[in-house]
Amino acid sequence: MRKPSSPPLVLAALASSLVLLGCSQKPAGAKADGKADPQAKTDAKSGETAAVDAGADKPTPEQAKAFVTEVDAKLRELWTAESKAAWTNATDITDEHAAAVAAASEQSMAYIGQAIKDAREFDGVEADPDTLRQLHLLKVATTLPAPNDPAKRKELAETATKLDSMYGSAKWGDCSDPRGPACKDMGQAMEIISSSDDYDELLAAWEGWRTVAPPMRPLYQRFAELGNEGARDIGYKDVGELWRSGYDMTPAEFEAEMERLWQQVKPLYTQLHCHARAKLGEKYGVDKVPADGMIPAHLVGNLWAQEWPNIYDDMIPYKDQPSIDVTEGLKKAKFDEHKMVKTAEGFFVSLGMDPLPDSFWERSLFVQPEGRDVQCHASAWDVDYNNDLRIKMCIKIDMEDFVTIHHELGHNYYYQNYYTKPMLFQAGANDGFHEGIGDTLALSVTPAYLQSMGLLSEISEDPKAVINKQLADGLEKIAFLPFGLLIDRWRWGVFSGEIKPEEYNAAWWKLRNEYQGVAAPVERSEADFDPGAKYHIPANTPYARYFLARILQFQFHKALCDAAGHEGPLHTCSIYGSKEAGKKLKAMLAMGASQPWPAALEAIAGTRKMDAGPMLEYFEPLQEYLSQENQGRTCGW
Ligand code: X8Z
Ligand code: ZN
């Protein structure tokens, strides 16, 4: 049996425009085009510019500085309004609240589209570095560029909000009585997939959840068309190119970086896949899980097959070792949602960070409320970009959510360290950094730490216990990698037109097959829209960030362990309580996006290159174990 409940892994925040909600951030850079007045002022309502000075000369550094100062004030006003409306809708999804989000995002889209064009007028100006950096960041500061045409802009804002709300209030099963027990939500589908061992019950939940997505399909198609028109209006080929421009390198270089990192970790994934497949074959039969084929997507303990820790119980390497599952410990020690968050906060405080503000405890949502729909995917917020920190999460009392809480607080602590900066600097060095901070700390949530918190009664330093823990970690961290990569390969294809609307679903499964070696358990067709059953698609949250975060968190972990004076193998390190590690981390967080990300990486890790080396180093014992287990098996699919 697997653990009885396993949970919401969470999800990110939406954001039709940008940064707002917790987990999102923006894309980047492009070339100049379009001529507007150098000192144009952009009006949020109309999106029109009003010339202040019609001088034909090259704009001066002072004018550039004045421009970014004005943009900063306007963004603060518009994004705060948008984020307030989004918080209200995310914690109480209604038509009225959704309409308010659409109206607010329409305004900020109008403003930012024009501001980006205006910023191009300053190309080549020799302004101070902060001004130049903000001019650059502005051009990549939206994940959803809107067309100039006001009617289309309105349509886009409404479509984006609608998709997000549809996901948040989605129900499956027999909803003839929407309040009846047979009408289920996402949490219930996750619960079944994570805890059942019954092939057919798993299949019913897997298919059931996917019935929520086909109605999104026409909306998504239109959304992509309008977003692309908006991208072209600000000088990009399509939305995907805009997203790939946010990494202080060209879009093509970024694609190559993703591929390079994937090639570094692919052999490890293939080994893990091979072993998991063999174990699942033993459990369900090789007629269901073929020894040389793909793994059916409903059997890995996760509704999206993105992380597989819930099949750990089917694969425990050494059963004679003490359990590393904290879920029972949390329940025994009577942890409630609040105490779980408090404990995670305690980790950050142990590094020398400030406690979260009182308002965090008053305003956050920790528990799924009865009687209203909320967007249950975890997200972290700074609602007013001025330390109004919150999380929104339907917390379950278990290990998976304990880790996710650390993930969310990582976002909050980034906000806490940069909220005094200009709006455009209030973002991660790149979006993978933002996603990787809380995960970095969670790597230090070792059995010894958990024991000290009263959550594990017995621990062991036996090498066999190490392998158990490594497998549990690998099922979360390594299993995720191809999923993290393919989501945006699908979207880049959709936005570029390489994937046509009539092949949305087939292209999705082609990528799932190719990268993950995971297959749909039943025939799929273009009547389905399986991408829509994953939060980040209807919510328009870019996903490459999570792939990067999986790699970066091990680089951060290694660097912070060095700072903490850790000696010995990387997987034995915990930075808990290290003020030296905290100082290093804080310095990087405080930079926000004020410098290109290689500078931030250098500040913490002494290198300017993303590298999966530390991840591979962390998993050395597991690699050894897997290669022994896989002897005589044919790996791959
Ligand atoms: O969406 C999230 C976070 C919020 S930014 C909980 N994650 C991705 C997902 O659940 O799909 C974290 C891991 C990947
Ligand atoms: Zn996140």
Side-chain angles (χ1 to χ4, degrees):
M1 257 316 269
R2 295 192 198 117
K3 301 186 251 175
S5 81
S6 67
L9 238 219
V10 210
L11 302 166
L14 105 141
S16 44
S17 310
L18 123 86
V19 187
L20 343 167
L21 329 189
C23 311
S24 54
Q25 205 190 314
K26 71 303 188 90
K31 291 194 218 92
D33 76 339
K35 293 273 160 209
D37 185 86
Q39 284 195 333
K41 273 204 175 141
T42 313
D43 181 273
K45 284 216 173 83
S46 63
E48 308 257 307
T49 52
V52 170
D53 173 354
D57 294 342
K58 216 175 130 199
T60 65
E62 292 71 33
Q63 286 173 322
K65 197 175 164 123
F67 174 76
V68 300
T69 304
E70 187 189 305
V71 167
D72 184 60
K74 203 69 204 169
L75 288 180
R76 181 173 292 279
E77 175 195 322
L78 291 165
W79 284 349
T80 301
E82 190 173 355
S83 140
K84 281 186 175 154
W87 173 267
T88 303
N89 193 46
T91 53
D92 184 9
I93 303 172
T94 65
D95 289 348
E96 192 194 331
H97 293 158
V101 178
S105 81
E106 197 186 327
Q107 296 229 336
S108 55
M109 285 199 237
Y111 175 76
I112 204 159
Q114 188 56 50
I116 289 171
K117 285 181 217 152
D118 295 346
R120 296 254 154 84
E121 280 305 306
F122 297 97
D123 286 349
V125 72
E126 282 167 18
D128 62 279
D130 277 5
T131 297
L132 291 177
R133 181 78 182 150
Q134 287 175 79
L135 285 168
H136 163 69
L137 291 171
L138 175 60
K139 294 174 196 156
V140 294
T142 176
T143 52
L144 188 56
N148 288 336
D149 176 342
K152 288 183 176 167
R153 189 158 61 226
K154 185 167 190 290
E155 186 187 352
L156 180 58
E158 287 173 358
T159 307
T161 310
K162 173 92 187 137
L163 281 164
D164 185 68
S165 290
M166 278 168 94
Y167 189 93
S169 50
K171 304 278 186 302
W172 60 282
D174 175 4
C175 291
S176 48
D177 172 8
R179 300 220 169 271
C183 184
K184 304 197 168 89
D185 65 11
M186 179 181 73
Q188 289 166 298
M190 293 169 85
E191 170 66 27
I192 295 168
I193 294 280
S194 62
S195 61
S196 172
D197 293 316
D198 178 329
Y199 188 93
D200 294 328
E201 189 187 18
L202 288 165
L203 186 56
W206 190 93
E207 280 193 271
W209 174 244
R210 279 158 185 76
T211 61
V212 309
M216 296 176 189
R217 189 178 175 123
L219 295 179
Y220 195 79
Q221 183 182 338
R222 183 68 180 144
F223 162 89
E225 277 165 21
L226 292 169
N228 275 342
E229 188 173 328
R232 286 192 297 270
D233 285 351
I234 52 169
Y236 296 90
K237 273 201 254 162
D238 59 66
V239 174
E241 189 192 59
L242 166 63
W243 289 8
R244 293 190 301 279
S245 298
Y247 297 91
D248 299 304
M249 56 177 78
T250 67
E253 283 165 349
F254 179 64
E255 271 191 79
E257 271 300 89
M258 292 282 284
E259 182 61 26
R260 178 180 67 78
L261 295 167
W262 168 235
Q263 290 305 329
Q264 261 190 296
V265 293
K266 192 176 163 190
L268 183 55
Y269 175 74
T270 308
Q271 290 291 315
L272 183 71
H273 176 280
C274 194
H275 185 50
R277 178 177 63 190
K279 289 286 168 192
L280 291 170
E282 283 169 26
K283 179 174 178 176
Y284 293 102
V286 283
D287 56 322
K288 301 273 194 326
V289 188
D292 56 356
M294 290 185 266
I295 302 175
H298 62 313
L299 300 183
V300 290
N302 178 284
L303 192 49
W304 304 274
Q306 64 180 61
E307 283 149 329
W308 311 345
N310 292 317
I311 58 169
Y312 171 73
D313 284 357
D314 301 322
M315 301 177 66
I316 302 180
Y318 301 104
K319 294 212 169 91
D320 58 337
Q321 294 300 308
S323 162
I324 49 171
D325 182 7
V326 162
T327 303
E328 215 176 290
L330 286 165
K331 288 180 180 153
K332 262 201 203 137
K334 300 227 168 355
F335 270 56
D336 59 8
E337 296 81 2
H338 187 273
K339 188 156 183 206
M340 284 169 73
V341 183
K342 261 282 165 219
T343 307
E345 179 201 35
F347 202 120
F348 287 82
V349 172
S350 87
L351 302 178
M353 311 254 179
D354 292 336
L356 294 163
D358 290 345
S359 57
F360 171 89
W361 302 100
E362 291 152 15
R363 297 173 188 167
S364 289
L365 183 146
F366 296 156
V367 183
Q368 181 169 13
E370 301 242 341
R372 67 175 203 262
D373 287 330
V374 303
Q375 192 66 269
C376 265
H377 327 299
S379 53
W381 306 55
D382 179 356
V383 173
D384 65 357
Y385 298 83
N386 196 24
N387 214 28
D388 182 357
L389 308 179
R390 308 179 194 182
I391 64 170
K392 170 193 60 60
M393 182 172 170
C394 305
I395 299 178
K396 303 240 168 71
I397 313 293
D398 63 22
M399 180 63 181
E400 203 168 346
D401 273 13
F402 191 50
V403 169
T404 300
I405 292 167
H406 289 79
H407 175 97
E408 295 309 326
L409 293 194
H411 291 303
N412 289 127
Y413 274 95
Y414 225 141
Y415 303 144
Q416 191 190 60
N417 279 283
Y418 64 44
Y419 75 87
T420 55
K421 292 219 173 313
M423 293 297 282
L424 289 161
F425 291 168
Q426 293 197 34
N430 71 38
D431 54 8
F433 281 59
H434 227 296
E435 296 302 338
I437 301 306
D439 292 8
T440 301
L441 269 65
L443 288 175
S444 289
V445 175
T446 55
Y449 168 78
L450 289 166
Q451 190 187 35
S452 73
M453 292 288 130
L455 293 171
L456 280 182
S457 49
E458 204 193 334
I459 59 168
S460 154
E461 280 174 25
D462 189 315
K464 289 189 201 162
V466 170
I467 297 298
N468 283 355
K469 169 72 164 56
Q470 285 254 308
L471 182 68
D473 287 349
L475 288 168
E476 190 201 326
K477 303 291 181 189
I478 303 167
F480 178 78
L481 292 162
F483 186 84
L485 184 79
L486 75 86
I487 302 292
D488 279 354
R489 292 219 163 153
W490 183 80
R491 271 189 298 206
W492 294 347
V494 166
F495 289 130
S496 74
E498 213 172 293
I499 296 173
K500 310 221 163 7
E502 58 276 17
E503 59 197 29
Y504 276 170
N505 218 51
W508 173 260
W509 281 105
K510 193 164 177 274
L511 290 163
R512 300 265 275 160
N513 296 166
E514 182 183 334
Y515 286 102
Q516 287 187 283
V518 156
V522 284
E523 178 115 4
R524 309 308 282 163
S525 78
E526 295 305 324
D528 302 305
F529 183 52
D530 295 327
K534 173 68 193 160
Y535 173 72
H536 301 68
I537 304 293
N540 194 40
T541 306
Y543 213 82
R545 57 184 60 179
Y546 301 108
F547 175 82
L548 299 177
R550 287 292 146 125
I551 307 284
L552 283 167
Q553 63 190 256
F554 290 92
Q555 284 187 275
F556 299 157
H557 183 57
K558 185 174 163 73
L560 296 178
C561 288
D562 285 348
H566 172 76
E567 281 171 18
L570 190 53
H571 64 268
T572 60
C573 164
S574 174
I575 61 165
Y576 183 76
S578 168
K579 302 286 180 287
E580 290 73 23
K583 213 167 121 196
K584 224 168 182 191
L585 179 60
K586 231 171 133 50
M588 186 189 81
L589 299 182
M591 290 167 78
S594 64
Q595 307 275 327
W597 66 259
L601 187 57
E602 191 164 26
I604 187 166
T607 171
R608 299 177 65 85
K609 227 172 145 67
M610 289 187 276
D611 175 27
M615 182 175 199
L616 299 175
E617 180 186 334
Y618 182 95
F619 283 115
E620 263 164 24
L622 182 65
Q623 289 186 64
E624 177 68 31
Y625 170 76
L626 290 175
S627 60
Q628 275 169 22
E629 290 294 310
N630 288 330
Q631 263 177 28
R633 293 177 183 149
T634 310
C635 295
W637 54 91

